Amino acid sequence: SDLDLSGLVASASAYDPDGGGTQVATDGFNVIVDAVADKPVIDAQEISGNQGTTLAVNITAAVTDLDGSESITGYKISGVPTGFAFNHGTNLGGGVWEFTPAQITGLTITPPLSYVGTLNLVATVFNAETALGGAEVDLSDNTNSASDALCLTWKPVCNPPSITVNNGVDDVVVKEDGSVFVKIVASLGAGDGNEVLSVKVTGIDPSWTITNADGTYNAATGTWTITLPAGTNYNGGLTFAPPHNSDLDLSGLVASASAYDPDGGGTQVA
């Protein structure tokens, strides 16, 4: 409480036992209580989500002086790198964002698309003596603050690749004793560039001749595969030649593409 104590009276009386009577003197005075803002409390929750997603920022705070004289006046979050953005608040520069008490509700943060890792930020709440009970002698201690670590983590995600064979046409025609080139295009999904793309064709009849400038063909299993350097798409294909004098079709072929994220995002297959 910063309520002043006023109307106090101090008095002194003098009594003369020889018949001189009594005399009294009084003096009034007040005790002025100078308000001091108590330290508030703050809790910034640790939150994690997938790469490229917007995360909720959960911060709760309260004053510890419960007489009604103090209130929360605002918040700041510091240590925010360039490229990250909140849905509310004011960017003060230097990695510091400022928020009103209303803006801290429903607060979210959006990372750069390819960011993976943890942000170690600092959330700070500010409070002040806003309902003073009287005159203030010293205004320098009418505000206070408290801080808490705010850790936000984005985990890697491997997005599905895509693959197209023969420009999307299911059937390829080849003349007897001839050969035909079948185009294969496979692409990685959006990511951070560390994903590794592999392309595979299965179900090849070992009696057919398969030629290709890249990749590896295993005639015993009827499988052709290629693994590309990290972050690289595939644009190539296979040349198919049927056995001599044969007009038997080659059916049931399956082309697949898999994307693997070595940072822990797993594997996706198309």
Side-chain angles (χ1 to χ4, degrees):
S1 172
D2 72 331
L3 294 179
D4 300 335
L5 183 59
S6 59
L8 297 175
V9 176
S11 62
S13 62
Y15 166 67
D16 186 342
D18 295 326
T22 300
Q23 294 291 330
V24 178
T26 62
D27 192 12
F29 66 99
N30 303 314
V31 177
I32 304 300
V33 178
D34 186 61
V36 176
D38 294 330
K39 194 176 187 67
V41 292
I42 182 173
D43 180 27
Q45 296 182 16
E46 182 175 339
I47 302 293
S48 65
N50 290 333
Q51 172 186 346
T53 59
T54 295
L55 297 185
V57 179
N58 296 324
I59 299 173
T60 56
V63 297
T64 54
D65 184 341
L66 303 181
D67 68 355
S69 65
E70 298 180 15
S71 60
I72 300 298
T73 56
Y75 297 81
K76 285 183 181 179
I77 296 178
S78 57
V80 184
T82 301
F84 291 80
F86 294 95
N87 62 328
H88 301 150
T90 302
N91 186 354
L92 302 179
V96 179
W97 284 66
E98 185 177 54
F99 310 90
T100 66
Q103 289 173 331
I104 213 70
T105 301
L107 186 64
T108 64
I109 184 172
T110 301
L113 180 63
S114 61
Y115 180 78
V116 172
T118 298
L119 286 188
N120 293 304
L121 310 178
V122 176
T124 302
V125 60
F126 299 89
N127 67 314
E129 290 279 356
T130 53
L132 299 173
E136 284 296 291
V137 177
D138 180 7
L139 296 176
S140 65
D141 52 10
N142 281 20
T143 60
N144 213 324
S145 65
S147 298
D148 192 24
L150 173 60
C151 296
L152 304 172
T153 300
W154 284 266
K155 298 176 290 185
V157 173
C158 186
N159 292 305
S162 62
I163 186 167
T164 302
V165 179
N166 195 38
N167 297 315
V169 179
D170 289 341
D171 295 332
V172 182
V173 177
V174 59
K175 294 289 187 178
E176 183 178 332
D177 294 333
S179 64
V180 63
F181 177 77
V182 179
K183 187 176 182 62
I184 300 174
V185 177
S187 301
L188 292 165
D192 57 13
N194 290 332
E195 294 85 1
V196 176
L197 177 68
S198 295
V199 182
K200 180 188 294 186
V201 176
T202 60
I204 303 172
D205 189 320
S207 66
W208 283 62
T209 300
I210 305 299
T211 56
N212 179 266
D214 50 24
T216 301
Y217 175 56
N218 186 331
T221 61
T223 303
W224 171 86
T225 58
I226 185 172
T227 298
L228 288 305
T232 304
N233 297 323
Y234 180 73
N235 188 343
L238 301 175
T239 298
F240 291 81
H244 184 59
N245 291 331
S246 172
D247 69 342
L248 293 178
D249 298 336
L250 181 60
S251 59
L253 298 173
V254 176
S256 62
S258 65
Y260 165 68
D261 188 338
D263 296 325
T267 300
Q268 295 285 342
V269 178

